[in-house]
């Protein structure tokens, strides 16, 4: 067992669901607790669906790549796609829609980037050679021991992976 | 979209019989629940006890359903599992809905 997973899916919501159904049992095998798994799944879903929807608005069969690595401070995640760049080459602010407005004015969207920002650290975006690179860490509880730790791999490499 | 409905007085109980309300399911979910909710006179009670994952699109779909209900009909939620409850809490949407821990509590609150 390693603490390093690389998967890809096509740029549509059904394919994202299939990828998550495959990936989540692997993260479970790493020993993440239920709460960490829930956090990871929501953040991964939001980032991958954002790519499918906004980087590839008119294309359901482009490739989206994801790399997840277990590190002592959490899960390091990197995604890559060749779709449209982020507008202004910056990530959305992700303010949470206001829940105190009258019911008929409640926002029905705009929660995605809020949920990502609220549950990640080190969120970074770069556009290099026509490729979108998104990376972040999902902090998980300190009693989480990366599976590969027992295999003697160098944990310092965690912050440098692509 | 798998759901079942049960009517009792002015309440329609909608039981969501699938484990994900995600981006791929959101539109169908919204249409199915809206159709199921049409017969409610004062309350729609959505049982989410079988749902173990919801994303922002699923949350948006539940909010959209609530907004389409006629004045005087409210949407209550029951039996949220921890991953679903977490999304409602983070987004503070738990302050918008009446959320019950289980069906018995939700139904005993019918009269209010």
């Amino acid at each position: 067992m390693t603490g390093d997973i690389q998967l890809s899916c096509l740029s549509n919501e059904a394919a994202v669901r299939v990828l998550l159904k495959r990936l989540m049992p692997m993260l479970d095998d790493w020993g993440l607790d239920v709460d960490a798994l829930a956090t990871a799944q929501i953040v991964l879903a939001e980032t991958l669906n954002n790519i499918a929807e906004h980087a590839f608005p008119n294309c359901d069969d482009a490739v989206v790549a994801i790399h997840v690595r277990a590190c002592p401070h959490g899960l390091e995640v990197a995604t890559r796609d060749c779709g449209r760049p982020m507008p202004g080459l910056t990530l959305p602010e992700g303010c949470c829609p206001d829940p105190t407005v009258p019911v008929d004015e409640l926002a029905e969207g705009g929660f995605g980037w809020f949920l990502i920002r609220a549950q990640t650290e080190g969120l970074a975006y770069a556009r290099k050679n026509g490729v979108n690179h998104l990376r972040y860490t999902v902090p998980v509880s300190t009693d989480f021991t990366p599976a590969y730790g027992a295999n003697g791999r160098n944990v310092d490499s965690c912050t440098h992976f692509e | 979209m798998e759901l079942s409905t049960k009517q009792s007085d002015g309440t329609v109980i909608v039981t969501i019989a699938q484990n994900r309300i995600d981006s791929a399911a959101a539109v169908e979910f919204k249409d199915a629940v809206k159709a199921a909710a049409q017969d409610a006179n004062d309350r729609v009670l959505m049982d989410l006890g079988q749902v173990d994952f919801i994303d922002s699109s699923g949350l948006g779909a539940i909010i959209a359903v609530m907004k389409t209900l006629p004045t005087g009909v409210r949407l209550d939620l029951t039996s949220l599992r921890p991953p679903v409850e977490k999304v409602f809490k983070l987004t503070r949407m738990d302050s918008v809905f009446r959320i019950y821990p289980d069906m018995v509590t939700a139904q005993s609150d019918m009269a209010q």
Side-chain angles (χ1 to χ4, degrees):
Chain A
M1 187 160 61
T2 70
D4 199 315
I5 297 168
Q6 299 192 49
L7 292 174
S8 61
C9 69
L10 298 182
S11 54
N12 66 75
E13 293 155 341
V16 168
R17 179 195 280 182
V18 171
L19 182 145
L20 291 172
K21 283 186 171 180
R22 207 174 139 206
L23 176 59
M24 296 315 295
M26 298 181 186
L27 299 185
D28 193 13
D29 284 346
W30 286 359
L32 270 69
D33 64 31
V34 174
D35 188 53
L37 286 170
T39 303
Q41 180 160 212
I42 183 73
V43 171
L44 292 165
E46 297 299 337
T47 49
L48 293 171
N49 281 322
N50 263 306
I51 293 169
E53 187 180 345
H54 297 293
F56 298 104
N58 304 309
C59 173
D60 283 347
D61 58 359
V63 175
V64 182
I66 185 162
H67 186 170
V68 183
R69 180 174 283 189
C71 289
H73 52 284
L75 298 177
E76 292 207 348
V77 180
T79 67
R80 270 179 298 125
D81 68 82
C82 301
R84 289 188 184 175
M86 281 283 174
L89 297 178
T90 54
L91 295 172
E93 277 189 31
C95 298
C96 188
D98 185 355
T100 64
V101 299
V103 166
D104 58 0
E105 292 171 27
L106 280 173
E108 296 171 28
F111 298 103
W113 277 102
F114 168 75
L115 287 169
I116 296 168
R117 287 191 178 276
Q119 300 179 97
T120 60
E121 292 173 354
L123 187 64
Y125 167 75
R127 176 88 175 174
K128 294 180 209 161
N129 302 319
V131 179
N132 292 314
H133 295 265
L134 179 69
R135 54 196 300 158
Y136 52 84
T137 301
V138 183
V140 296
S141 58
T142 51
D143 57 354
F144 159 59
T145 306
Y148 70 84
N151 298 337
R153 283 181 52 178
N154 181 6
V155 294
D156 292 338
S157 67
C158 281
T159 52
H160 304 299
F161 86 106
E162 286 294 332
Chain B
M1 182 64 221
E2 292 168 41
L3 56 78
S4 63
T5 60
K6 195 170 84 178
Q7 223 167 330
S8 115
D9 300 326
T11 295
V12 171
I13 298 169
V14 180
T15 303
I16 308 303
Q18 61 183 40
N19 60 12
R20 301 175 80 85
I21 310 175
D22 60 10
S23 198
V27 173
E28 205 187 330
F29 169 86
K30 190 162 58 181
D31 292 345
V33 179
K34 272 185 199 172
Q38 276 182 344
D39 296 329
N41 293 326
D42 49 41
R43 186 189 197 198
V44 176
L45 178 58
M46 188 187 293
D47 180 356
L48 293 169
Q50 295 174 56
V51 179
D52 57 22
F53 179 71
I54 188 170
D55 65 11
S56 63
S57 300
L59 177 66
I62 292 177
I63 295 166
V65 167
M66 179 180 63
K67 288 167 68 173
T68 62
L69 295 176
T71 309
V73 180
R74 64 173 208 267
L75 173 61
D76 296 343
L77 309 175
T78 183
S79 312
L80 275 63
R81 294 171 73 168
V84 176
E85 190 175 30
K86 184 170 188 171
V87 169
F88 276 84
K89 279 191 174 160
L90 276 172
T91 58
R92 294 191 290 153
M93 284 299 136
D94 59 337
S95 65
V96 170
F97 296 90
R98 288 192 198 188
I99 298 178
Y100 299 92
D102 53 64
M103 191 52 94
V104 172
T105 313
Q107 287 185 292
S108 69
D109 200 31
M110 284 282 189
Q112 294 183 29

